[in-house]
Amino acid sequence: MEYYNAFEHTHGLTWTGTGEWLMHDRTFETWLDTLEANGKLLWLQGTPGAALSVLRSLMFQLASQADTLQEVLCQSSLENLKGSTDCAVELLTAFLALVGPVYIVVDGLDEIDEVHRCKLLKQLLGLLEKCENMKLLISSRPDADITAILQEKSADIRVDHRNCESIEVFVTQSLRRWFAERDFLPEGRAEIERLLAPLTGKSKGMFLYAEVVLTNIQDLEVHEIHRELQVLPESLDDAYGRVLARVNALRPPALKNKARKLLGWIGCSPTPLTIQEMEQALLIDFDDTEGSLTVLSRLNIIKICGSIVEVVDDYVQFVHFTVKEYLFSPKISGSIDGPEATLNLAMCCIAYLCQRHHDPQVGDEEINAHAISGAYRFHNFSTNMWLELLDRTAALLPRRLPDALIDLLSRLSSQRCNQRCNSEAKAPSSVHLQEYPEIDQMLSKADQFRRAYSESDYNTIQNTFWVDLDPLTISSTSIRIQRRLEQLLCATIDHDENCHCDVIYRHYGITKAVAFEEPDDDDEIEPLLIDLISADKVESVRGLLLQFKKLGPARDTKLDPNAVSALAEVLRSDSDDLFEDWLNNVDLETKSTTDQMPLGAHFIRSPIIQATEGQLHREDYLLQVWKKLDLLNSCGSIYVGDALFNVASTTCSIKLAEYLLDHGAEVDHRRSKRYMTPLQHAARKTTCKAANLMKLLLLKGADPEMISENIYVAKKTRIRDEKGAKEISKWLGMSWDELLADVKAERQKEQETNLKEAHPPEG
């Protein structure tokens, strides 16, 4: 998710009125004060689920009042630390050298394994000593290893000891929403409120405990709620235990087995599964070689598995890492068997890859049919994870792998053997199946290929030479599937009649197609540029950029499409040198392009503008390109208007919008009445940038009453009713109507000033 989308998504998970006590805590105020040098390190201690909600509530309440804090919060999350901690520290050091005071928040440190969290913590503390303008906040349970590092170095706040008032607010607001949804009679409400009266005290400062208890009763009737709440759970484990007991009591037995299988998969998977992948995986029969069963209904996983799971952006996960600790504990009666779950998921992946839809002899039309039916929902997960799951299974079952798994591996080795692969197995496989030499050799080669792929610049679609390094036909099949999927999708927002976009979105979550063209030799430059820039291989990038001038006479008179795609990656690189190289090596004065579009039209597209997100220097780079192109003269006012439309639908950059408005863009530009205007797009966003863009557009004369007439949208929404317009006071300090009145007065004043300047008084 991009920064602003991530901010708004997480903001929606907070509860007004919770965590406010922390804002008045003297220790926290000292940490927050940039002029206070003695309070650089703060440790929020708590029990599971105690700190997360407090941090969300506090930080987003602060950020709603100070726009600059938003970027600090999002850029300091752990989700960007994808490499080693050494690399992360280097990135942080470079980042801190370029900005002013920075607050780094590491939430849920105890969720990382002990070795890695200790290393990360020590490196962050080292960074804290070097950087005077840095403040560090750690939230975690007071585990022994963390305590040993932080004691006597940090100021401490025990969150769970002071959360009662916030939890009371959370419970009250939750019940208010729930009562409105269920429409309980007054006597039913009174009974539920009586039963839940002790909940805040029982929670012992844990939001998670309160949330699990409340979610457990969401779909129950009053008499069932009475039975459930007669005695509240004594602890968080007790609350988890009630969910597990309900799962183990499900009838018929097939439903119980399904729920336990799903919980096992969530806990053992190396990477989160999507809901679409789980729906497909549930249909896999290890003896079914055809794979003809397709998903025909949605899986309500929360109803089946209970309040301990959640679905976020289609990914299924436990509500907290302590759920896995409980469910997989052998000390718990009826717990989930981790090795068995890992084995089952591994066998699902291998059996799936052996089914007919992955036969290398399947034709393109049959792949199309399988794609439309949803047969490839489980493809990405199984191709990427089958070997990792097999390794984990072998580690968990050290004596001997089950015969059923050996049979599946034998089938995979024989049916998906890549005859064009000529690589040699350099060592036995990590699974150690020397008694099955053909399988062991295949696994050894597959492991070599996995390591080479993860360390290389291979590209899934356009660089295809590497598929013959794969001992199985899986890689070549992956490319064919991806190509067919992209060809099935409409390439523009104007959908074809009877198109497949909706069904593909339902199956795979793909929302927009990018027109795919069969690559030729030169088209391998783009993916290599993207990968090399991501790997910070500057010299290699420069060499490839020079090739834009060396692509032969056929390219001399046309804009190379790689130059357009490369610009977005060059912008994201934040490298002055790379941008100058790009600018010097790309012909922006060519008279024609490969698709007959005006030259400048290629550089106003949404992906290019999106690449400047939140970075003023990137916007300056793009403006240099636009100025060199002379957009209005090279494109015409329609395309300049399209650029304004794209800015409003992506970054909402004031700088880019002002340039376009000053250079020919109509403020209410749209290609037809079916489309939204820039103002309508901005009004759909709830960010400070969008609010300021709305104000700018209104000052430039945008019509606040404009309504689009898209035939695909049944409900016509006025701009004032869009979320961004309704919440604009959060950012501008005035309501939508007040803004319109203010803009009207300002425009009228400007007109009067212009009139006086045009007709100065005589004498």
Side-chain angles (χ1 to χ4, degrees):
M1 294 172 71
E2 295 294 334
Y3 152 65
Y4 277 109
N5 290 335
F7 175 82
E8 293 304 323
H9 170 77
T10 312
H11 188 282
L13 301 178
T14 63
W15 293 81
T16 303
T18 59
E20 291 181 348
W21 63 267
L22 191 53
M23 298 178 67
H24 305 293
D25 183 273
R26 293 294 299 275
T27 304
F28 182 77
E29 289 177 343
T30 300
W31 177 80
L32 204 59
D33 186 354
T34 58
L35 300 178
E36 179 57 64
N38 294 325
K40 295 183 66 177
L41 176 60
L42 177 62
W43 182 17
L44 293 186
Q45 301 177 13
T47 46
L52 180 59
S53 296
V54 172
L55 286 175
R56 282 175 175 166
S57 184
L58 167 70
M59 296 305 168
F60 284 101
Q61 286 177 52
L62 290 173
S64 68
Q65 301 172 41
D67 187 32
T68 54
L69 283 180
Q70 297 176 14
E71 191 168 347
V72 171
L73 289 176
C74 287
Q75 289 188 353
S76 62
S77 71
L78 281 176
E79 68 180 17
N80 292 323
L81 303 179
K82 295 179 179 177
S84 68
T85 51
D86 292 332
C87 293
V89 170
E90 289 179 12
L91 289 172
L92 277 173
T93 304
F95 173 71
L96 291 170
L98 298 174
V99 297
V102 172
Y103 297 84
I104 295 183
V105 179
V106 181
D107 184 28
L109 181 67
D110 51 314
E111 298 182 28
I112 306 173
D113 69 80
E114 186 172 334
V115 173
H116 289 95
R117 72 191 185 198
C118 287
K119 183 177 181 181
L120 172 63
L121 189 52
K122 289 177 181 178
Q123 290 180 316
L124 285 174
L125 292 178
L127 192 63
L128 189 64
E129 292 180 3
K130 298 176 185 177
C131 303
E132 294 182 0
N133 61 347
M134 171 184 164
K135 297 268 189 168
L136 176 62
L137 187 151
I138 303 292
S139 80
S140 72
R141 292 184 292 186
D143 290 351
D145 60 303
I146 299 175
T147 301
I149 296 173
L150 291 181
Q151 63 183 355
E152 300 181 359
K153 295 180 181 178
S154 65
D156 305 337
I157 297 177
R158 186 76 191 201
V159 176
D160 52 314
H161 292 173
R162 302 170 66 180
N163 258 353
C164 287
E165 185 176 339
S166 295
I167 292 176
E168 186 67 39
V169 171
F170 165 71
V171 172
T172 301
Q173 293 185 12
S174 297
L175 288 179
R176 187 181 300 124
R177 290 186 186 181
W178 183 48
F179 286 159
E181 291 172 1
R182 293 289 301 271
D183 196 22
F184 288 108
L185 293 175
E187 54 267 33
R189 293 189 181 195
E191 174 66 4
I192 294 170
E193 287 174 341
R194 182 187 69 79
L195 291 166
L196 288 172
L199 180 59
T200 300
K202 282 279 190 180
S203 68
K204 299 177 182 177
M206 290 183 287
F207 272 91
L208 185 58
Y209 171 93
E211 185 177 4
V212 170
V213 170
L214 290 175
T215 309
N216 270 348
I217 63 174
Q218 286 286 314
D219 298 317
L220 302 182
E221 299 302 324
V222 175
H223 70 281
E224 295 172 315
I225 294 171
H226 186 276
R227 185 169 60 246
E228 175 73 16
L229 299 180
Q230 270 189 321
V231 179
L232 286 171
E234 288 297 323
S235 64
L236 186 59
D237 278 358
D238 193 13
Y240 292 159
R242 292 193 180 189
V243 178
L244 181 59
R246 188 175 296 129
V247 166
N248 288 333
L250 286 173
R251 293 292 180 272
L255 181 59
K256 167 190 167 182
N257 293 337
K258 177 192 286 189
R260 289 180 58 85
K261 180 183 291 186
L262 291 169
L263 291 173
W265 288 350
I266 297 170
C268 77
S269 177
T271 186
L273 286 142
T274 67
I275 192 69
Q276 293 93 343
E277 289 166 343
M278 282 192 156
E279 288 170 344
Q280 178 72 23
L282 285 171
L283 299 179
I284 295 172
D285 182 338
F286 300 153
D287 297 322
D288 177 19
T289 59
E290 290 298 314
S292 56
L293 293 177
T294 56
V295 177
L296 300 177
S297 62
R298 295 187 186 278
L299 173 67
N300 189 339
I301 193 167
I302 296 176
K303 188 171 184 178
I304 295 174
C305 296
S307 57
I308 54 177
V309 301
E310 61 182 357
V311 181
V312 179
D313 295 330
D314 285 341
Y315 286 96
V316 184
Q317 60 193 31
F318 291 132
V319 295
H320 196 263
F321 78 100
T322 53
V323 175
K324 179 180 176 180
E325 290 180 350
Y326 180 86
L327 292 182
F328 284 67
S329 171
K331 299 177 182 178
I332 303 300
S333 176
S335 63
I336 305 297
D337 187 326
E340 181 183 340
T342 307
L343 168 65
N344 183 266
L345 188 55
M347 292 180 66
C348 279
C349 291
I350 298 168
Y352 173 78
L353 294 172
C354 291
Q355 291 179 337
R356 175 169 171 74
H357 38 66
H358 278 74
D359 190 322
Q361 302 303 316
V362 168
D364 287 346
E365 290 306 312
E366 192 170 350
I367 289 180
N368 281 358
H370 287 313
I372 294 169
S373 73
Y376 296 122
R377 284 169 171 240
F378 199 48
H379 170 80
N380 285 339
F381 181 88
S382 59
T383 55
N384 291 317
M385 290 296 121
W386 73 271
L387 191 54
E388 173 67 23
L389 285 164
L390 181 63
D391 287 345
R392 294 189 180 194
T393 299
L396 293 168
L397 303 173
R399 293 185 178 179
R400 176 179 170 81
L401 295 180
D403 291 341
L405 176 58
I406 299 296
D407 290 343
L408 283 174
L409 287 171
S410 177
R411 193 192 311 171
L412 180 72
S413 179
S414 61
Q415 295 180 2
R416 300 293 177 259
C417 176
N418 181 8
Q419 300 294 340
R420 298 176 63 179
C421 175
N422 54 13
S423 63
E424 295 294 329
K426 297 179 181 179
S429 72
S430 58
V431 180
H432 303 300
L433 290 176
Q434 286 85 350
E435 64 269 40
Y436 304 98
E438 291 185 2
I439 297 176
D440 192 66
Q441 186 177 52
M442 179 272 291
L443 293 177
S444 178
K445 291 181 180 180
D447 187 53
Q448 289 172 194
F449 175 72
R450 175 179 58 177
R451 283 186 275 107
Y453 185 93
S454 65
E455 298 168 359
S456 72
D457 294 324
Y458 298 160
N459 179 272
T460 305
I461 297 298
Q462 296 191 358
N463 289 335
T464 59
F465 69 90
W466 52 270
V467 299
D468 289 338
L469 302 177
D470 186 352
L472 302 173
T473 57
I474 293 172
S475 293
S476 58
T477 301
S478 295
I479 291 176
R480 295 183 66 202
I481 292 170
Q482 185 63 34
R483 288 176 175 173
R484 302 313 300 178
L485 277 172
E486 294 202 9
Q487 290 177 358
L488 286 169
L489 287 163
C490 296
T492 68
I493 59 176
D494 294 319
H495 292 276
D496 299 330
E497 186 177 1
N498 300 322
C499 73
H500 302 291
C501 293
D502 285 343
V503 70
I504 289 176
Y505 171 69
R506 168 77 179 270
H507 289 313
Y508 308 102
I510 301 173
T511 57
K512 185 178 181 181
V514 177
F516 179 81
E517 299 176 1
E518 192 68 24
D520 55 34
D521 292 340
D522 297 326
D523 286 333
E524 293 183 356
I525 292 177
E526 175 188 347
L528 280 175
L529 274 172
I530 294 172
D531 292 343
L532 290 172
I533 289 173
S534 300
D536 198 26
K537 299 179 180 179
V538 177
E539 294 305 318
S540 299
V541 172
R542 286 176 175 164
L544 282 174
L545 283 170
L546 290 173
Q547 291 191 35
F548 287 141
K549 286 188 172 181
K550 302 176 182 178
L551 293 177
R555 297 274 185 156
D556 287 343
T557 59
K558 296 183 182 293
L559 175 71
D560 193 288
N562 292 310
V564 181
S565 301
L567 177 58
E569 300 305 320
V570 169
L571 291 173
R572 292 190 185 96
S573 75
D574 296 322
S575 168
D576 292 338
D577 290 341
L578 284 183
F579 177 72
E580 288 300 323
D581 285 337
W582 182 92
L583 202 60
N584 293 332
N585 288 290
V586 175
D587 182 8
L588 295 180
E589 298 178 358
T590 183
K591 301 301 182 184
S592 61
T593 65
T594 55
D595 52 10
Q596 305 305 312
M597 288 176 63
L599 174 63
H602 291 275
F603 297 97
I604 63 169
R605 291 173 173 173
S606 295
I608 300 291
I609 296 172
Q610 186 71 56
T612 68
E613 177 73 71
Q615 303 292 333
L616 295 178
H617 61 281
R618 296 181 189 176
E619 294 177 355
D620 290 335
Y621 291 156
L622 184 56
L623 285 175
Q624 286 187 53
V625 176
W626 287 357
K627 290 173 183 177
K628 190 170 182 178
L629 286 164
D630 189 8
L631 279 184
L632 184 59
N633 290 326
S634 66
C635 294
S637 60
I638 291 179
Y639 282 101
V640 179
D642 287 346
L644 180 62
F645 178 93
N646 292 337
V647 168
S649 63
T650 54
T651 67
C652 291
S653 164
I654 297 295
K655 180 182 286 190
L656 297 182
E658 285 181 332
Y659 176 84
L660 294 168
L661 288 166
D662 291 341
H663 289 79
E666 291 186 17
V667 70
D668 280 326
H669 169 80
R670 54 181 178 174
R671 287 282 181 132
S672 74
K673 292 183 178 180
R674 294 192 313 161
Y675 294 96
M676 294 189 293
T677 65
L679 180 60
Q680 287 174 297
H681 258 299
R684 291 193 164 191
K685 300 176 181 288
T686 54
T687 67
C688 183
K689 281 192 172 184
N692 282 299
L693 179 60
M694 284 186 270
K695 182 177 180 179
L696 172 66
L697 295 171
L698 289 168
L699 286 170
K700 294 293 185 178
D703 183 357
E705 303 301 329
M706 190 79 75
I707 297 177
S708 60
E709 299 177 6
N710 193 326
I711 61 174
Y712 299 109
V713 180
K715 183 179 179 182
K716 312 299 182 188
T717 304
R718 298 183 304 170
I719 294 178
R720 67 172 54 252
D721 294 325
E722 296 287 1
K723 190 174 182 181
K726 291 168 71 174
E727 297 183 7
I728 202 166
S729 61
K730 181 188 300 183
W731 309 104
L732 301 186
M734 62 180 74
S735 68
W736 179 254
D737 288 330
E738 290 171 338
L739 174 62
L740 294 183
D742 189 66
V743 166
K744 182 178 180 181
E746 193 168 335
R747 283 177 56 80
Q748 186 173 353
K749 183 178 179 181
E750 183 181 355
Q751 290 172 0
E752 292 173 354
T753 301
N754 293 338
L755 187 61
K756 289 180 181 179
E757 292 177 353
H759 304 284
E762 297 181 1

